[in-house]
């Protein structure tokens, strides 16, 4: 079995003395896959993400980190200890074109409906070159998989970075059984069809090279069917979730990803989290909390979340001085100007709220942009309310992690546009992510909910969140290949 994804379970940074320091790969996809892919002993093909990764991959034969290398390199266990990790040494320009320009600007923004607000695409000659980079990057992955896969092996290709790989593998190695999994939403056809025609077709055809295409929610699978029908003229069966195109049939599957409750609780009880929890509790001095945890990512809708908190304080003076909005964010994709500007806007609005309401002994918004997972777990533990309001999100694991860890039960204010709303909608307070007023009202309701109701809702949220842990989600993808 092989797994292919842009990010792998391990990445390297350069220490001050010039040495290479290993880190756990970031993001929801890696957390979902690490333990299970590791346990199956899969070969995990990923990109070297920078100079430190490139140097690390060159230091081992064929760029393959064997299990003992992974162990040796890792300061903290990532649970990927049985996987062989093959890091692809892709030149920096090709990587930039594929990852920054095509995947994270164009495709990310189209699937999250962020065009025109943050990004105004111009598909001219520069984009053609970027697209060629995306094709070359996908080809490097496909060739690496084709080289390493045993006859008839199963290949699990992950996400929008690698949409062309299944089609390329079908040409290179028709004996392989390939699944693709989308961790993002899928754009509706009116939006998707604004991509240049050859790009829109290639992405769909590439993905339809797979035997099985997985999505996190039924909404995203249906949108994919709609696009295949509209753009390719493919024959789709909405009830059976199949697409027939160019003489082949691809089956679609809906596999929601949840969290491993036991593992998460164990991680959240370690000393680094305990220390951060104690420090945060001391700062809060018994005040109630509205917690959010995100990457500094446009789709996460942090600015509107802050505006909703401001409306809450303006409309309900009883919360002034009594509630702290703890907003912890991980820096993300800072190479892209849209992300840098967004992060600046988040910081600006937080500061405005603190200027408007803050006093000598109360800071209404505690916002930190830092790569600190233990800090996020500490915040979940102390959450009274968890705010998850993305404008659109494939799943959103924060909505699932928080209720598992909240010590006294948290109320969840959740966007209808997160994939997680399909499973958690019954016990969350659902909001339209654009409706700041409605979000403020939901925050008020969450803060004033009777404690017993909050705890019992939270117990049910935690049960739903842990119903499909990563092992089962992974097994569903493998089983779908027969
Ligand atoms: O599908 C979403 C995803 O790829 C997740 O793995 C993760 O949450 C995020 O995007 C990571 O983005 P990046 O790898 O660009 O930092």
């Amino acid at each position: 079995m092989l797994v292919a994804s842009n990010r792998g379970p391990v990445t390297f940074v350069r220490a001050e003395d010039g040495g290479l320091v290993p880190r756990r790969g970031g993001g929801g996809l890696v957390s979902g896959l690490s333990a299970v892919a590791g346990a199956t002993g899969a070969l995990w093909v990923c990109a070297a993400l920078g100079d430190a990764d490139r140097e690390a991959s060159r230091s081992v034969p064929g760029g393959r980190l064997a299990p003992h290398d992974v162990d040796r390199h890792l300061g903290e266990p990532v649970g990927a200890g049985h996987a062989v990790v093959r890091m692809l040494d892709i030149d920096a320009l090709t990587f930039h074109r594929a990852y920054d320009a095509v995947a994270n600007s164009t495709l990310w923004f189209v699937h999250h409906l962020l065009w025109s607000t943050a990004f105004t695409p111009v598909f001219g000659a520069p984009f053609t070159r970027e697209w060629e980079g995306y094709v070359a990057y996908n080809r490097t992955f496909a060739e690496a998989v084709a080289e390493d896969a045993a006859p008839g092996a199963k290949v699990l290709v992950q996400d929008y970075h690698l949409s062309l790989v299944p089609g390329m593998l079908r040409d290179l190695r028709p004996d392989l059984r390939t699944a693709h999994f989308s961790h993002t939403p899928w754009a509706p056809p009116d939006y998707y069809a604004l991509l240049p025609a050859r790009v829109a077709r290639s992405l769909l055809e590439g993905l339809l090279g797979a035997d099985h295409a997985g999505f996190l929610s039924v909404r995203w699978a249906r949108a994919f069917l709609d696009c295949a029908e509209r753009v390719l003229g493919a024959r789709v069966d909405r009830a059976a979730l199949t697409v027939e195109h160019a003489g082949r049939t691809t089956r679609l599957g809906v596999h929601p990803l949840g969290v491993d409750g036991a593992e998460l609780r164990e991680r959240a009880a370690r000393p680094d989290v305990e220390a951060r929890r104690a420090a945060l509790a001391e700062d809060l001095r018994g005040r109630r909390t509205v917690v959010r945890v995100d990457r500094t990512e446009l789709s996460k809708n942090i600015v509107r979340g802050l505006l909703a908190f401001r409306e809450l304080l303006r409309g309900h003076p009883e919360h002034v001085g009594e509630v702290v909005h703890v907003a912890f964010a991980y820096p993300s994709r800072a190479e892209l100007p849209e992300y840098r500007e967004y992060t600046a806007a988040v910081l600006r609005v937080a500061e405005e709220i603190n200027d408007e309401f803050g006093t000598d002994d109360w800071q209404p918004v505690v916002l930190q942009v830092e790569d600190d997972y233990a800090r996020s777990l500490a915040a979940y533990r102390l959450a009274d309310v968890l705010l998850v309001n993305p404008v659109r999100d494939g799943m959103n694991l924060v909505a699932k992690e928080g209720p598992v860890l909240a010590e006294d039960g948290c109320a969840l204010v959740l966007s209808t546009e997160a994939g997680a709303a399909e499973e958690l909608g019954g016990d969350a307070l659902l909001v339209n992510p654009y409706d700041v007023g409605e979000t403020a009202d939901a925050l008020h309701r969450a803060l004033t909910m009777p404690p017993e109701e909050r705890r019992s809702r939270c117990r049910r949220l935690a049960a739903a969140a842990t119903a499909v842990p990563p092992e089962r989600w992974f097994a569903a993808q493998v089983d779908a290949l027969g």
Side-chain angles (χ1 to χ4, degrees), residues 5-42:
S5 64
N6 175 63
R7 257 182 217 281
V10 56
T11 187
F12 292 85
V13 291
R14 199 170 296 284
E16 270 176 18
D17 66 358
L20 297 176
V21 182
R23 287 268 167 81
R24 180 194 168 103
L29 181 155
V30 168
S31 341
L33 274 173
S34 276
V36 274
T40 57

Side-chain angles (χ1 to χ4, degrees), residues 7 27-29 99 104 108 159-161 183-184 295 332-333:
R7 257 182 217 281
L29 181 155
Y99 176 73
N104 285 345
W108 183 272
D159 238 350
Y160 57 102
H161 315 90
H183 293 259
T184 58
R295 289 183 297 110
S332 183
R333 303 179 187 166

Side-chain angles (χ1 to χ4, degrees), residues 332-382:
S332 183
R333 303 179 187 166
E335 298 72 23
L336 292 170
E338 293 88 352
Y339 284 74
R340 289 197 298 274
E341 282 156 24
Y342 188 70
T343 306
V346 168
L347 293 166
R348 200 171 51 240
V349 177
E351 202 177 302
E352 279 168 21
I353 299 173
N354 284 337
D355 286 347
E356 181 176 342
F357 292 99
T359 58
D360 285 348
D361 73 341
W362 175 60
Q363 186 182 328
V365 180
V366 173
L367 171 74
Q368 291 174 12
V369 182
E370 216 181 301
D371 201 350
D372 186 344
Y373 182 56
R375 170 206 68 172
S376 307
L377 299 180
Y380 291 147
R381 286 179 56 181
L382 293 172

Side-chain angles (χ1 to χ4, degrees), residues 1 28 51 59 72 90 98 174 185 197 209 333 364 368 370 376 402 428 464:
M1 178 143 50
D51 288 342
S59 72
R72 181 166 56 84
I90 297 168
R333 303 179 187 166
Q368 291 174 12
E370 216 181 301
S376 307

